[in-house]
Amino acid sequence: IIGSVYLTTGGNFKYSYLENKGTILNDETPEGSSGYTGGVIGSINYKGNNTSNVTVSYVINDANVTSNAAPNTGGVIGSWGRSADKVQSAGTMTYVVNNNTSGTAKVKGVSCVGGVIGLLDNKDVTYIVGYNMADVTGTGDSVGGIVGDLKTGSIKAGNDSINNSGKITGVNNVGG
């Protein structure tokens, strides 16, 4: 639905009520050294010294997400933030779900593969109500049921549940 969000100024940004029921396939090596493949949002990145508060709410992926050539693959968001920009921003995710109503949905990637977010870097995110139900497979390292690779920052659980019920497979640094 959204390939890339690149924030260059501060402020509040909201992405709400987005749903994907199609198939996402990134079979090409993107320009540069990394790519971002997400079921709904490819990447959310920041530049410069801005302070941004990003809210992602009621965002659902209910389809296969596959990247055969690049890292940073997430069931919902491929990559959120990059440490190179050193932006101190906060984020909130409410009801952000990688669903599996068909019983066959999968997230497949190289490395930094997550059921919800592939790479979370330099962000403090509060996550309220969310889950991954799809199987997650990485041919490399850093594979997780919710987040594949948490570089810097943190995920703070809200009052409700965050869980993974999918099968997680990877090489090193694999978590359910």
Side-chain angles (χ1 to χ4, degrees):
I1 293 175
I2 299 173
S4 179
V5 177
Y6 197 63
L7 306 173
T8 58
T9 60
N12 295 316
F13 302 91
K14 296 183 180 186
Y15 304 94
S16 300
Y17 300 101
L18 303 171
E19 183 172 7
N20 173 44
K21 290 189 176 189
T23 297
I24 305 297
L25 172 63
N26 179 1
D27 214 9
E28 300 292 325
T29 302
E31 251 180 74
S33 61
S34 63
Y36 312 102
T37 305
V40 179
I41 300 172
S43 68
I44 301 172
N45 289 313
Y46 308 84
K47 181 175 177 68
N49 271 339
N50 71 68
T51 301
S52 300
N53 185 5
V54 176
T55 300
V56 179
S57 59
Y58 298 96
V59 176
I60 300 168
N61 178 56
D62 198 358
N64 290 328
V65 178
T66 303
S67 177
N68 293 323
N72 309 317
T73 304
V76 180
I77 302 170
S79 173
W80 191 344
R82 297 186 307 200
S83 62
D85 293 324
K86 302 292 183 204
V87 178
Q88 299 302 316
S89 297
T92 303
M93 296 193 313
T94 303
Y95 199 78
V96 176
V97 173
N98 190 32
N99 223 353
N100 188 10
T101 56
S102 67
T104 60
K106 297 183 180 352
V107 179
K108 295 180 183 177
V110 180
S111 59
C112 300
V113 183
V116 177
I117 301 175
L119 171 68
L120 181 62
D121 195 356
N122 201 35
K123 301 289 153 265
D124 291 323
V125 174
T126 301
Y127 196 1
I128 305 166
V129 187
Y131 54 89
N132 171 56
M133 296 175 63
D135 290 346
V136 180
T137 303
T139 57
D141 298 341
S142 302
V143 181
I146 301 298
V147 176
D149 190 356
L150 177 63
K151 291 277 189 209
T152 58
S154 65
I155 293 183
K156 302 169 191 157
N159 295 330
D160 295 304
S161 65
I162 299 171
N163 63 62
N164 168 63
S165 61
K167 178 182 173 187
I168 312 303
T169 306
V171 178
N172 294 304
N173 306 321
V174 179

